[in-house]
Amino acid sequence: MSLPPEKASELKQIIHNHLLKMDIHGKIREVLAETVRDDQGPAHRSLSEADFLRALQCRGIIDDVMKDLHFTQGAATDAETGSPPKPATHFVDKDITHLKKSNIDPSRRCLYLQVLGGKAFLEHLQEPEPLPGQVCSTFTLYLHFRNQRFRSKPVPCACEPNLEEGFLLEIHKDGIGEGSKMADATTMLSMCDPVHLVLIKTDTSSETTLVSSYFLDWRTVLSSPSGKTCFAVELMGVGSECKVPAGVLTVSLELYPPLTETLSSDIISTQQSLERQRTAEKERLFLVYAKQWWREFLEIRPSHQSKMVKIFAQDENGISRPVCSYVRVLRAGRLLESPRQAARFVSLLAHEKAPVVGGGGSKQEQWCTLMAFLCRGKGDCEDHATLLCSLLLGFGLDAYVCVGTKAKGVPHTWVLTRGTDGSITFWESLAAHRYLHKAIDPDAPPLAPQPKHSSPYRTVGCVFNHQTFLANCQPSDAVEICVFDFQNQSRWKAMSEEALKSVCAPGSITSLPLLPPLCAPSLDPAASSNQLELEMRYLVSEHRKDLDLATVWDDHLSYLLSSALSAYELERCTGVSCGNEEFQDAVRRAVPDGHTFKGFPIHFLHRSARRAFATCLRSHKTKSLSPHTECRCSH
C-alpha cells in the first residue's frame, strides 16, 4: 500500500513528534554508551548495526516506542477508496525530499548539529496559531558546510517556531584530510570554515524572503569534555536591518566519535583571535592599496570621478567586501551541460531589488552571498551577473562582470566574454540574451559603414572577475565606442592581481564565504506540470462560468501543445528554433474546419497557478482573443 505525499508527510511528522516527546535521542545515547563499555575488554570487537539493535530491543526501547504509537485503520483507506486526502495539520510540504540512508565511516569525524527550536522572532508575535489545513507562512533553514548543503523541513512562522532538525556534517569532505586518518582536535582547530545558516520565510503566495544569514563557528565544541555543547545563536536581520535581531535559535553541537583529548577554551579563543587579526591586517593593506590606486585613476582624467567604478560592495550582512570576492570558478557537474544552459538557469532565478524602507527612489546596497541567493531563489542584477560569470568561468570561458548603466542612466551589471579571436559577447543574466559587440570608430569618415549598436547597455565603468579588476580609462565610457582590449593600459587601468589574491582567493581570509555547490532539483517536473495544468483548468473553468460561458477541454490538442512548449524552452537555451513545422502541421490536422486556433506562450518564474492566471488575464494578448473561443490548456 502506498500513501499520497501529503499523508506520508503527516505520518512522518506524527512519528517525529512522538520520538521527540520520548527523548529518544537521549535514550539511544545511554544505550550506546553502555554497549560500548560492556564490549571493551580483551575480546574487543567492533560494534555492528545488528548488535546495537539487539541492545535497544533488550532494554525495551523499541517496545516503548511502538506501545504508544497508534494508527487508525481509516487513515490508510483514503487512497484505496479514491476519496480526497484530508489536509495535514497546519500545512503540507509539497516539496517532499526523500531521505537516503547513508553508512557512516567510523574512521571519519562527523559533526552533528541539532537545531532545538527558535524563539524571540518578534515580527510574528501577534501571529495566530494556524488552523488544521490552513495555508500559512513558513520558515525553512538552509545549511552549508564544506561543500555540503542541507535543508530543514518548513515549519509555520511563529514567535517561537518549531524549528527542530538534526544535520550530520562530515568534517572530512572532498579529500580534505590525510586519507582515512581520524581528524584530531588540533587538526580541526585549524579548520576555520564556518557553518553558514540561511533562514528563509515563504509566504502563502510562495514568495520568499531572506530573514537572516549567519556564519557559525563550530569549533567551541572542541573544548567540551563530553564532546557536546549547546548554546543560543542570535540571528540578525539583513540589508538595512542587519543590526536588528531577527530571532534566536538554540543549537546543539556534538562530535562523532567523541574526542579522546579536548582543547582548552583559551586555546580556541586565541586561535580565533589570531585569525581575525590576520584577516583584518590583509583587509587593511588592501584598503590602503585601493585608495592609492583610486588616486592614480583620478589623476588620469578628472572626469573619472563620475564613472561607475565599483571596488567594494556590501553583502546581506552589511559587510563591505571587494567585488572580485563575489565571483569564483563554479563547476556545475552534470547539472548544467553548456554555457547557454547556465545562462538559462540563472535567468530563471527571479529578479527583485533589495527592499528599502521609505521612498525617494533610493536603491539599497546589497550583493548577496551565493548561498543566500540560491536559497532565496531571487535577487538583484548583481547577484545574477556574479553567478553567471562564475558558471561561465567554470565552462572555461574568459568571463567578466561589467558594471555600468543601461537606458536612462539606470545602474546595471551584466556579463562579458572574450573569444580567442578577440570577439566580445555580452550576456544579459536576467533574460539569457546574448549580444555580439562591435565598437563604433568615432574617428572614421562620416560616410564609412559602422556596426549597429544592438545591446541595451549605455556605459561601462569597470569589469572584474575572480582575479582581475579593470577600470575603463577611455575618454568616453559609452559602450558603443568602447574597445575591450584589456592589455592596453591606455584604455584600461588594472589592479594588482597579487593584491586582489590576498583578499579574494579561496582561503585567503577567514571572513570570505565558501562557495556552495549546486544541488540537483528535488521536484518531479512531470508531476509538477500535471498538477499546475489541473489547477489552471479549474481557474479557467470558474472564470468562464462567471461569464456564463461553457468550457470544453480538448486533451488531444493539449498534448500537441507540449511539443510547442518544448521548442520554446529549447530556443531559450540554445537560441535556435526547431520543430515549428511539425507543430503547425499537427495543429492544422487537429483543428476542425471553420475553427481558428489562437495561442501564445507566457513565461513565468514561479509555479503559482493563481498568479499565472492573473497575469494571463492582464496580458494584452489575452484581450485580443474572443471570449467565445474554446479554451485549450497544456502544461
Side-chain angles (χ1 to χ4, degrees):
M1 182 194 71
S2 62
L3 290 175
E6 56 271 14
K7 296 301 292 183
S9 177
E10 184 179 3
L11 183 60
K12 289 177 184 177
Q13 185 65 40
I14 293 171
I15 297 173
H16 178 72
N17 293 338
H18 180 65
L19 294 177
L20 286 176
K21 185 178 177 181
M22 290 186 58
D23 188 25
I24 191 67
H25 294 97
K27 292 183 178 180
I28 289 176
R29 284 194 200 94
E30 292 173 6
V31 173
L32 180 60
E34 292 175 13
T35 309
V36 170
R37 281 197 300 269
D38 294 344
D39 282 7
Q40 286 178 345
H44 171 68
R45 61 185 180 86
S46 59
L47 279 174
S48 67
E49 185 177 343
D51 295 333
F52 185 56
L53 286 174
R54 274 196 299 273
L56 288 174
Q57 198 165 12
C58 291
R59 288 162 178 79
I61 303 295
I62 295 177
D63 293 335
D64 290 343
V65 170
M66 299 304 296
K67 184 169 59 179
D68 299 324
L69 195 60
H70 300 291
F71 302 101
T72 59
Q73 183 68 24
T77 58
D78 289 337
E80 297 170 3
T81 59
S83 61
K86 297 176 182 177
T89 305
H90 300 321
F91 70 97
V92 175
D93 181 14
K94 295 183 180 179
D95 299 339
I96 303 296
T97 302
H98 297 285
L99 300 178
K100 296 180 180 178
K101 183 178 178 180
S102 59
N103 296 320
I104 298 175
D105 188 348
S107 65
R108 311 289 272 183
R109 190 83 67 185
C110 292
L111 175 69
Y112 184 51
L113 186 151
Q114 267 187 301
V115 180
L116 303 177
K119 58 185 178 181
F121 286 83
L122 300 181
E123 186 178 339
H124 303 278
L125 185 61
Q126 303 297 328
E127 198 139 327
E129 183 76 15
L131 299 173
Q134 178 185 357
V135 178
C136 61
S137 301
T138 59
F139 281 140
T140 307
L141 186 66
Y142 295 83
L143 271 77
H144 170 227
F145 178 69
R146 295 173 78 89
N147 214 36
Q148 303 162 78
R149 283 178 61 183
F150 301 90
R151 189 194 80 162
S152 75
K153 66 179 185 299
V155 300
C157 293
C159 183
E160 296 186 357
N162 188 31
L163 275 167
E164 297 180 353
E165 200 85 36
F167 307 93
L168 191 65
L169 314 176
E170 293 183 38
I171 301 294
H172 285 302
K173 191 68 178 173
D174 291 342
I176 302 171
E178 301 177 23
S180 60
K181 183 179 178 182
M182 179 76 73
D184 57 15
T186 306
T187 303
M188 289 188 286
L189 181 62
S190 64
M191 298 178 183
C192 56
D193 305 335
V195 179
H196 191 181
L197 307 175
V198 175
L199 185 63
I200 298 292
K201 175 185 174 182
T202 307
D203 65 17
T204 54
S205 60
S206 300
E207 286 290 333
T208 56
T209 306
L210 177 61
V211 177
S212 183
S213 175
Y214 185 84
F215 292 91
L216 173 67
D217 194 331
W218 55 275
R219 291 174 292 179
T220 53
V221 73
L222 300 178
S223 64
S224 174
S226 64
K228 182 177 181 180
T229 182
C230 186
F231 51 89
V233 171
E234 184 178 41
L235 302 179
M236 306 302 286
V238 295
S240 59
E241 301 177 13
C242 62
K243 305 297 182 185
V244 181
V248 176
L249 292 180
T250 303
V251 175
S252 168
L253 298 176
E254 189 169 2
L255 283 172
Y256 287 114
L259 290 172
T260 54
E261 294 183 10
T262 59
L263 303 175
S264 71
S265 56
D266 291 339
I267 292 177
I268 296 174
S269 59
T270 301
Q271 173 71 14
Q272 293 170 336
S273 178
L274 286 173
E275 290 171 356
R276 285 193 295 268
Q277 290 174 13
R278 280 198 298 264
T279 294
E281 180 62 15
K282 287 185 177 182
E283 290 175 340
R284 186 190 68 81
L285 292 174
F286 180 77
L287 181 59
V288 170
Y289 168 76
K291 287 181 176 179
Q292 177 61 32
W293 180 92
W294 176 248
R295 283 193 293 269
E296 294 172 0
F297 181 65
L298 294 182
E299 288 172 0
I300 299 173
R301 198 173 284 109
S303 61
H304 287 174
Q305 181 75 47
S306 60
K307 287 193 174 184
M308 297 278 293
V309 180
K310 189 78 174 171
I311 303 175
F312 295 93
Q314 289 186 349
D315 64 12
E316 66 266 22
N317 291 325
I319 298 174
S320 185
R321 297 195 281 121
V323 292
C324 293
S325 66
Y326 290 88
V327 178
R328 305 281 183 86
V329 178
L330 179 58
R331 296 181 177 88
R334 300 189 184 278
L335 299 177
L336 299 172
E337 298 175 350
S338 69
R340 295 198 186 189
Q341 194 176 63
R344 173 66 171 155
F345 162 69
V346 175
S347 70
L348 292 176
L349 298 170
H351 175 226
E352 181 177 278
K353 296 183 182 296
V356 61
V357 179
S362 59
K363 182 178 184 293
Q364 174 68 33
E365 170 76 2
Q366 182 175 309
W367 291 35
C368 282
T369 57
L370 181 54
M371 179 67 178
F373 178 41
L374 292 174
C375 295
R376 186 182 172 214
K378 59 184 176 183
D380 212 338
C381 58
E382 296 88 357
D383 305 321
H384 288 78
T386 52
L387 173 56
L388 177 57
C389 184
S390 299
L391 288 168
L392 295 183
L393 287 169
F395 278 108
L397 300 183
D398 188 19
Y400 303 81
V401 175
C402 298
V403 179
T405 62
K406 53 183 182 180
K408 299 180 181 179
V410 177
H412 192 61
T413 58
W414 65 97
V415 179
L416 169 153
T417 54
R418 297 195 308 160
T420 54
D421 58 353
S423 61
I424 301 296
T425 304
F426 294 147
W427 300 66
E428 176 49 63
S429 57
L430 299 179
H433 294 158
R434 299 167 70 254
Y435 307 94
L436 187 63
H437 171 73
K438 292 184 178 179
I440 296 174
D441 184 3
D443 300 324
L447 297 180
Q450 295 277 20
K452 187 178 179 181
H453 182 63
S454 59
S455 73
Y457 316 119
R458 295 294 174 261
T459 65
V460 56
C462 65
V463 301
F464 65 89
N465 59 19
H466 62 304
Q467 56 189 12
T468 305
F469 185 93
L470 298 142
N472 185 2
C473 54
Q474 299 171 62
S476 171
D477 58 0
V479 171
E480 59 185 2
I481 62 173
C482 184
V483 177
F484 291 91
D485 180 9
F486 296 152
Q487 281 68 42
N488 190 334
Q489 297 181 9
S490 66
R491 298 181 185 274
W492 296 90
K493 180 172 175 57
M495 271 194 172
S496 164
E497 289 193 8
E498 288 300 318
L500 290 170
K501 192 181 297 183
S502 68
V503 291
C504 297
S508 57
I509 55 177
T510 56
S511 61
L512 203 61
L514 293 176
L515 190 70
L518 295 184
C519 295
S522 58
L523 287 176
D524 180 353
S528 297
S529 60
N530 289 337
Q531 179 63 28
L532 183 59
E533 179 178 343
L534 291 175
E535 294 174 5
M536 286 291 291
R537 285 193 179 199
Y538 173 78
L539 292 172
V540 170
S541 299
E542 290 298 304
H543 177 71
R544 290 174 60 85
K545 189 185 297 182
D546 293 340
L547 300 176
D548 294 328
L549 296 173
T551 306
V552 178
W553 300 104
D554 189 331
D555 291 331
H556 174 61
L557 184 55
S558 171
Y559 180 73
L560 298 184
L561 292 176
S562 61
S563 63
L565 295 177
S566 175
Y568 293 139
E569 179 63 23
L570 185 63
E571 185 176 3
R572 293 264 185 166
C573 289
T574 63
V576 179
S577 177
C578 62
N580 192 42
E581 299 83 0
E582 294 87 347
F583 169 67
Q584 289 185 358
D585 183 67
V587 168
R588 288 192 185 100
R589 293 175 179 275
V591 175
D593 293 338
H595 289 67
T596 302
F597 170 80
K598 289 185 179 181
F600 58 91
I602 302 180
H603 181 226
F604 300 104
L605 298 180
H606 56 79
R607 292 180 288 119
S608 171
R610 288 191 175 276
R611 289 171 59 194
F613 184 61
T615 303
C616 292
L617 292 180
R618 289 194 302 268
S619 173
H620 68 280
K621 296 180 180 179
T622 308
K623 294 173 184 176
S624 67
L625 299 180
S626 167
H628 297 284
T629 306
E630 282 190 78
C631 286
R632 315 285 182 176
C633 184
S634 181
H635 49 282

mmCIF file with all atom_site columns, all heavy atoms in Angstrom, residues 536 539 602 604 606 608-619 622:
data_model
loop_
_atom_site.group_PDB
_atom_site.id
_atom_site.type_symbol
_atom_site.label_atom_id
_atom_site.label_alt_id
_atom_site.label_comp_id
_atom_site.label_asym_id
_atom_site.label_entity_id
_atom_site.label_seq_id
_atom_site.pdbx_PDB_ins_code
_atom_site.Cartn_x
_atom_site.Cartn_y
_atom_site.Cartn_z
_atom_site.occupancy
_atom_site.B_iso_or_equiv
_atom_site.pdbx_formal_charge
_atom_site.auth_seq_id
_atom_site.auth_comp_id
_atom_site.auth_asym_id
_atom_site.auth_atom_id
_atom_site.pdbx_PDB_model_num
ATOM 1   N N   . MET A 1 536 ? -4.799  25.182 -13.309 1.00 0.00 ? 536 MET A N   1
ATOM 2   C CA  . MET A 1 536 ? -5.124  26.195 -14.310 1.00 0.00 ? 536 MET A CA  1
ATOM 3   C C   . MET A 1 536 ? -6.463  25.901 -14.975 1.00 0.00 ? 536 MET A C   1
ATOM 4   O O   . MET A 1 536 ? -7.260  26.813 -15.232 1.00 0.00 ? 536 MET A O   1
ATOM 5   C CB  . MET A 1 536 ? -4.018  26.252 -15.367 1.00 0.00 ? 536 MET A CB  1
ATOM 6   C CG  . MET A 1 536 ? -2.735  26.917 -14.886 1.00 0.00 ? 536 MET A CG  1
ATOM 7   S SD  . MET A 1 536 ? -2.930  28.695 -14.624 1.00 0.00 ? 536 MET A SD  1
ATOM 8   C CE  . MET A 1 536 ? -3.121  29.282 -16.303 1.00 0.00 ? 536 MET A CE  1
ATOM 9   N N   . LEU A 1 539 ? -9.214  27.073 -12.644 1.00 0.00 ? 539 LEU A N   1
ATOM 10  C CA  . LEU A 1 539 ? -9.348  28.534 -12.604 1.00 0.00 ? 539 LEU A CA  1
ATOM 11  C C   . LEU A 1 539 ? -9.999  29.074 -13.876 1.00 0.00 ? 539 LEU A C   1
ATOM 12  O O   . LEU A 1 539 ? -10.851 29.970 -13.823 1.00 0.00 ? 539 LEU A O   1
ATOM 13  C CB  . LEU A 1 539 ? -7.973  29.174 -12.408 1.00 0.00 ? 539 LEU A CB  1
ATOM 14  C CG  . LEU A 1 539 ? -7.321  28.935 -11.041 1.00 0.00 ? 539 LEU A CG  1
ATOM 15  C CD1 . LEU A 1 539 ? -5.882  29.452 -11.045 1.00 0.00 ? 539 LEU A CD1 1
ATOM 16  C CD2 . LEU A 1 539 ? -8.123  29.616 -9.939  1.00 0.00 ? 539 LEU A CD2 1
ATOM 17  N N   . ILE A 1 602 ? 3.472   32.383 -22.529 1.00 0.00 ? 602 ILE A N   1
ATOM 18  C CA  . ILE A 1 602 ? 3.810   33.347 -21.477 1.00 0.00 ? 602 ILE A CA  1
ATOM 19  C C   . ILE A 1 602 ? 4.775   32.655 -20.526 1.00 0.00 ? 602 ILE A C   1
ATOM 20  O O   . ILE A 1 602 ? 4.528   31.524 -20.096 1.00 0.00 ? 602 ILE A O   1
ATOM 21  C CB  . ILE A 1 602 ? 2.566   33.839 -20.704 1.00 0.00 ? 602 ILE A CB  1
ATOM 22  C CG1 . ILE A 1 602 ? 1.559   34.484 -21.650 1.00 0.00 ? 602 ILE A CG1 1
ATOM 23  C CG2 . ILE A 1 602 ? 2.966   34.823 -19.618 1.00 0.00 ? 602 ILE A CG2 1
ATOM 24  C CD1 . ILE A 1 602 ? 0.310   34.995 -20.950 1.00 0.00 ? 602 ILE A CD1 1
ATOM 25  N N   . PHE A 1 604 ? 6.796   32.212 -16.995 1.00 0.00 ? 604 PHE A N   1
ATOM 26  C CA  . PHE A 1 604 ? 6.672   32.502 -15.567 1.00 0.00 ? 604 PHE A CA  1
ATOM 27  C C   . PHE A 1 604 ? 7.892   31.963 -14.822 1.00 0.00 ? 604 PHE A C   1
ATOM 28  O O   . PHE A 1 604 ? 8.486   30.967 -15.233 1.00 0.00 ? 604 PHE A O   1
ATOM 29  C CB  . PHE A 1 604 ? 5.412   31.847 -14.975 1.00 0.00 ? 604 PHE A CB  1
ATOM 30  C CG  . PHE A 1 604 ? 4.134   32.303 -15.615 1.00 0.00 ? 604 PHE A CG  1
ATOM 31  C CD1 . PHE A 1 604 ? 3.462   31.494 -16.519 1.00 0.00 ? 604 PHE A CD1 1
ATOM 32  C CD2 . PHE A 1 604 ? 3.598   33.547 -15.329 1.00 0.00 ? 604 PHE A CD2 1
ATOM 33  C CE1 . PHE A 1 604 ? 2.294   31.901 -17.121 1.00 0.00 ? 604 PHE A CE1 1
ATOM 34  C CE2 . PHE A 1 604 ? 2.425   33.969 -15.910 1.00 0.00 ? 604 PHE A CE2 1
ATOM 35  C CZ  . PHE A 1 604 ? 1.769   33.151 -16.813 1.00 0.00 ? 604 PHE A CZ  1
ATOM 36  N N   . HIS A 1 606 ? 7.611   31.099 -11.561 1.00 0.00 ? 606 HIS A N   1
ATOM 37  C CA  . HIS A 1 606 ? 7.031   30.521 -10.343 1.00 0.00 ? 606 HIS A CA  1
ATOM 38  C C   . HIS A 1 606 ? 6.075   29.401 -10.759 1.00 0.00 ? 606 HIS A C   1
ATOM 39  O O   . HIS A 1 606 ? 5.850   29.167 -11.944 1.00 0.00 ? 606 HIS A O   1
ATOM 40  C CB  . HIS A 1 606 ? 6.283   31.601 -9.543  1.00 0.00 ? 606 HIS A CB  1
ATOM 41  C CG  . HIS A 1 606 ? 5.223   32.314 -10.332 1.00 0.00 ? 606 HIS A CG  1
ATOM 42  N ND1 . HIS A 1 606 ? 3.986   31.771 -10.573 1.00 0.00 ? 606 HIS A ND1 1
ATOM 43  C CD2 . HIS A 1 606 ? 5.233   33.522 -10.967 1.00 0.00 ? 606 HIS A CD2 1
ATOM 44  C CE1 . HIS A 1 606 ? 3.272   32.608 -11.294 1.00 0.00 ? 606 HIS A CE1 1
ATOM 45  N NE2 . HIS A 1 606 ? 4.003   33.673 -11.554 1.00 0.00 ? 606 HIS A NE2 1
ATOM 46  N N   . SER A 1 608 ? 2.861   29.143 -9.208  1.00 0.00 ? 608 SER A N   1
ATOM 47  C CA  . SER A 1 608 ? 1.570   29.510 -8.631  1.00 0.00 ? 608 SER A CA  1
ATOM 48  C C   . SER A 1 608 ? 0.535   29.650 -9.748  1.00 0.00 ? 608 SER A C   1
ATOM 49  O O   . SER A 1 608 ? 0.652   30.541 -10.601 1.00 0.00 ? 608 SER A O   1
ATOM 50  C CB  . SER A 1 608 ? 1.682   30.817 -7.847  1.00 0.00 ? 608 SER A CB  1
ATOM 51  O OG  . SER A 1 608 ? 0.412   31.283 -7.453  1.00 0.00 ? 608 SER A OG  1
ATOM 52  N N   . ALA A 1 609 ? -0.463  28.776 -9.752  1.00 0.00 ? 609 ALA A N   1
ATOM 53  C CA  . ALA A 1 609 ? -1.483  28.817 -10.802 1.00 0.00 ? 609 ALA A CA  1
ATOM 54  C C   . ALA A 1 609 ? -2.288  30.115 -10.735 1.00 0.00 ? 609 ALA A C   1
ATOM 55  O O   . ALA A 1 609 ? -2.636  30.693 -11.780 1.00 0.00 ? 609 ALA A O   1
ATOM 56  C CB  . ALA A 1 609 ? -2.408  27.606 -10.673 1.00 0.00 ? 609 ALA A CB  1
ATOM 57  N N   . ARG A 1 610 ? -2.606  30.586 -9.538  1.00 0.00 ? 610 ARG A N   1
ATOM 58  C CA  . ARG A 1 610 ? -3.401  31.806 -9.407  1.00 0.00 ? 610 ARG A CA  1
ATOM 59  C C   . ARG A 1 610 ? -2.658  33.017 -9.962  1.00 0.00 ? 610 ARG A C   1
ATOM 60  O O   . ARG A 1 610 ? -3.242  33.840 -10.671 1.00 0.00 ? 610 ARG A O   1
ATOM 61  C CB  . ARG A 1 610 ? -3.772  32.041 -7.939  1.00 0.00 ? 610 ARG A CB  1
ATOM 62  C CG  . ARG A 1 610 ? -4.813  31.067 -7.412  1.00 0.00 ? 610 ARG A CG  1
ATOM 63  C CD  . ARG A 1 610 ? -5.354  31.488 -6.050  1.00 0.00 ? 610 ARG A CD  1
ATOM 64  N NE  . ARG A 1 610 ? -6.423  30.600 -5.630  1.00 0.00 ? 610 ARG A NE  1
ATOM 65  C CZ  . ARG A 1 610 ? -7.686  30.730 -5.999  1.00 0.00 ? 610 ARG A CZ  1
ATOM 66  N NH1 . ARG A 1 610 ? -8.037  31.721 -6.813  1.00 0.00 ? 610 ARG A NH1 1
ATOM 67  N NH2 . ARG A 1 610 ? -8.605  29.891 -5.564  1.00 0.00 ? 610 ARG A NH2 1
ATOM 68  N N   . ARG A 1 611 ? -1.369  33.125 -9.633  1.00 0.00 ? 611 ARG A N   1
ATOM 69  C CA  . ARG A 1 611 ? -0.589  34.252 -10.148 1.00 0.00 ? 611 ARG A CA  1
ATOM 70  C C   . ARG A 1 611 ? -0.451  34.167 -11.664 1.00 0.00 ? 611 ARG A C   1
ATOM 71  O O   . ARG A 1 611 ? -0.508  35.189 -12.366 1.00 0.00 ? 611 ARG A O   1
ATOM 72  C CB  . ARG A 1 611 ? 0.780   34.276 -9.488  1.00 0.00 ? 611 ARG A CB  1
ATOM 73  C CG  . ARG A 1 611 ? 0.750   34.687 -8.012  1.00 0.00 ? 611 ARG A CG  1
ATOM 74  C CD  . ARG A 1 611 ? 2.102   34.481 -7.348  1.00 0.00 ? 611 ARG A CD  1
ATOM 75  N NE  . ARG A 1 611 ? 3.149   35.231 -8.000  1.00 0.00 ? 611 ARG A NE  1
ATOM 76  C CZ  . ARG A 1 611 ? 4.450   35.020 -7.796  1.00 0.00 ? 611 ARG A CZ  1
ATOM 77  N NH1 . ARG A 1 611 ? 4.837   34.067 -6.974  1.00 0.00 ? 611 ARG A NH1 1
ATOM 78  N NH2 . ARG A 1 611 ? 5.350   35.747 -8.418  1.00 0.00 ? 611 ARG A NH2 1
ATOM 79  N N   . ALA A 1 612 ? -0.254  32.960 -12.185 1.00 0.00 ? 612 ALA A N   1
ATOM 80  C CA  . ALA A 1 612 ? -0.128  32.792 -13.633 1.00 0.00 ? 612 ALA A CA  1
ATOM 81  C C   . ALA A 1 612 ? -1.429  33.165 -14.340 1.00 0.00 ? 612 ALA A C   1
ATOM 82  O O   . ALA A 1 612 ? -1.419  33.849 -15.376 1.00 0.00 ? 612 ALA A O   1
ATOM 83  C CB  . ALA A 1 612 ? 0.262   31.349 -13.957 1.00 0.00 ? 612 ALA A CB  1
ATOM 84  N N   . PHE A 1 613 ? -2.564  32.751 -13.773 1.00 0.00 ? 613 PHE A N   1
ATOM 85  C CA  . PHE A 1 613 ? -3.849  33.056 -14.393 1.00 0.00 ? 613 PHE A CA  1
ATOM 86  C C   . PHE A 1 613 ? -4.136  34.555 -14.345 1.00 0.00 ? 613 PHE A C   1
ATOM 87  O O   . PHE A 1 613 ? -4.653  35.132 -15.316 1.00 0.00 ? 613 PHE A O   1
ATOM 88  C CB  . PHE A 1 613 ? -4.959  32.280 -13.689 1.00 0.00 ? 613 PHE A CB  1
ATOM 89  C CG  . PHE A 1 613 ? -6.312  32.452 -14.317 1.00 0.00 ? 613 PHE A CG  1
ATOM 90  C CD1 . PHE A 1 613 ? -6.546  32.060 -15.625 1.00 0.00 ? 613 PHE A CD1 1
ATOM 91  C CD2 . PHE A 1 613 ? -7.353  33.027 -13.607 1.00 0.00 ? 613 PHE A CD2 1
ATOM 92  C CE1 . PHE A 1 613 ? -7.788  32.223 -16.208 1.00 0.00 ? 613 PHE A CE1 1
ATOM 93  C CE2 . PHE A 1 613 ? -8.600  33.198 -14.184 1.00 0.00 ? 613 PHE A CE2 1
ATOM 94  C CZ  . PHE A 1 613 ? -8.812  32.787 -15.490 1.00 0.00 ? 613 PHE A CZ  1
ATOM 95  N N   . ALA A 1 614 ? -3.791  35.198 -13.226 1.00 0.00 ? 614 ALA A N   1
ATOM 96  C CA  . ALA A 1 614 ? -3.990  36.649 -13.124 1.00 0.00 ? 614 ALA A CA  1
ATOM 97  C C   . ALA A 1 614 ? -3.148  37.383 -14.164 1.00 0.00 ? 614 ALA A C   1
ATOM 98  O O   . ALA A 1 614 ? -3.609  38.365 -14.773 1.00 0.00 ? 614 ALA A O   1
ATOM 99  C CB  . ALA A 1 614 ? -3.636  37.126 -11.717 1.00 0.00 ? 614 ALA A CB  1
ATOM 100 N N   . THR A 1 615 ? -1.913  36.905 -14.407 1.00 0.00 ? 615 THR A N   1
ATOM 101 C CA  . THR A 1 615 ? -1.063  37.514 -15.430 1.00 0.00 ? 615 THR A CA  1
ATOM 102 C C   . THR A 1 615 ? -1.665  37.330 -16.817 1.00 0.00 ? 615 THR A C   1
ATOM 103 O O   . THR A 1 615 ? -1.637  38.240 -17.649 1.00 0.00 ? 615 THR A O   1
ATOM 104 C CB  . THR A 1 615 ? 0.345   36.895 -15.384 1.00 0.00 ? 615 THR A CB  1
ATOM 105 O OG1 . THR A 1 615 ? 0.887   37.069 -14.070 1.00 0.00 ? 615 THR A OG1 1
ATOM 106 C CG2 . THR A 1 615 ? 1.270   37.556 -16.391 1.00 0.00 ? 615 THR A CG2 1
ATOM 107 N N   . CYS A 1 616 ? -2.230  36.155 -17.077 1.00 0.00 ? 616 CYS A N   1
ATOM 108 C CA  . CYS A 1 616 ? -2.871  35.904 -18.376 1.00 0.00 ? 616 CYS A CA  1
ATOM 109 C C   . CYS A 1 616 ? -4.041  36.858 -18.606 1.00 0.00 ? 616 CYS A C   1
ATOM 110 O O   . CYS A 1 616 ? -4.236  37.370 -19.722 1.00 0.00 ? 616 CYS A O   1
ATOM 111 C CB  . CYS A 1 616 ? -3.351  34.458 -18.461 1.00 0.00 ? 616 CYS A CB  1
ATOM 112 S SG  . CYS A 1 616 ? -2.033  33.223 -18.522 1.00 0.00 ? 616 CYS A SG  1
ATOM 113 N N   . LEU A 1 617 ? -4.819  37.088 -17.564 1.00 0.00 ? 617 LEU A N   1
ATOM 114 C CA  . LEU A 1 617 ? -5.968  37.986 -17.705 1.00 0.00 ? 617 LEU A CA  1
ATOM 115 C C   . LEU A 1 617 ? -5.537  39.420 -17.979 1.00 0.00 ? 617 LEU A C   1
ATOM 116 O O   . LEU A 1 617 ? -6.235  40.171 -18.691 1.00 0.00 ? 617 LEU A O   1
ATOM 117 C CB  . LEU A 1 617 ? -6.841  37.940 -16.448 1.00 0.00 ? 617 LEU A CB  1
ATOM 118 C CG  . LEU A 1 617 ? -7.589  36.638 -16.177 1.00 0.00 ? 617 LEU A CG  1
ATOM 119 C CD1 . LEU A 1 617 ? -8.399  36.746 -14.895 1.00 0.00 ? 617 LEU A CD1 1
ATOM 120 C CD2 . LEU A 1 617 ? -8.506  36.283 -17.348 1.00 0.00 ? 617 LEU A CD2 1
ATOM 121 N N   . ARG A 1 618 ? -4.392  39.821 -17.414 1.00 0.00 ? 618 ARG A N   1
ATOM 122 C CA  . ARG A 1 618 ? -3.911  41.193 -17.616 1.00 0.00 ? 618 ARG A CA  1
ATOM 123 C C   . ARG A 1 618 ? -3.214  41.376 -18.945 1.00 0.00 ? 618 ARG A C   1
ATOM 124 O O   . ARG A 1 618 ? -3.049  42.502 -19.422 1.00 0.00 ? 618 ARG A O   1
ATOM 125 C CB  . ARG A 1 618 ? -2.935  41.578 -16.496 1.00 0.00 ? 618 ARG A CB  1
ATOM 126 C CG  . ARG A 1 618 ? -3.592  41.772 -15.135 1.00 0.00 ? 618 ARG A CG  1
ATOM 127 C CD  . ARG A 1 618 ? -2.639  42.479 -14.183 1.00 0.00 ? 618 ARG A CD  1
ATOM 128 N NE  . ARG A 1 618 ? -1.395  41.757 -14.020 1.00 0.00 ? 618 ARG A NE  1
ATOM 129 C CZ  . ARG A 1 618 ? -1.191  40.857 -13.056 1.00 0.00 ? 618 ARG A CZ  1
ATOM 130 N NH1 . ARG A 1 618 ? -2.152  40.578 -12.190 1.00 0.00 ? 618 ARG A NH1 1
ATOM 131 N NH2 . ARG A 1 618 ? -0.026  40.244 -12.961 1.00 0.00 ? 618 ARG A NH2 1
ATOM 132 N N   . SER A 1 619 ? -2.767  40.292 -19.574 1.00 0.00 ? 619 SER A N   1
ATOM 133 C CA  . SER A 1 619 ? -1.995  40.391 -20.809 1.00 0.00 ? 619 SER A CA  1
ATOM 134 C C   . SER A 1 619 ? -2.842  40.961 -21.936 1.00 0.00 ? 619 SER A C   1
ATOM 135 O O   . SER A 1 619 ? -3.996  40.576 -22.138 1.00 0.00 ? 619 SER A O   1
ATOM 136 C CB  . SER A 1 619 ? -1.464  39.009 -21.199 1.00 0.00 ? 619 SER A CB  1
ATOM 137 O OG  . SER A 1 619 ? -0.855  39.048 -22.460 1.00 0.00 ? 619 SER A OG  1
ATOM 138 N N   . THR A 1 622 ? -4.131  38.331 -24.369 1.00 0.00 ? 622 THR A N   1
ATOM 139 C CA  . THR A 1 622 ? -5.332  37.593 -23.994 1.00 0.00 ? 622 THR A CA  1
ATOM 140 C C   . THR A 1 622 ? -6.580  38.364 -24.388 1.00 0.00 ? 622 THR A C   1
ATOM 141 O O   . THR A 1 622 ? -7.575  37.786 -24.839 1.00 0.00 ? 622 THR A O   1
ATOM 142 C CB  . THR A 1 622 ? -5.330  37.342 -22.473 1.00 0.00 ? 622 THR A CB  1
ATOM 143 O OG1 . THR A 1 622 ? -4.097  36.749 -22.111 1.00 0.00 ? 622 THR A OG1 1
ATOM 144 C CG2 . THR A 1 622 ? -6.453  36.424 -22.080 1.00 0.00 ? 622 THR A CG2 1
#
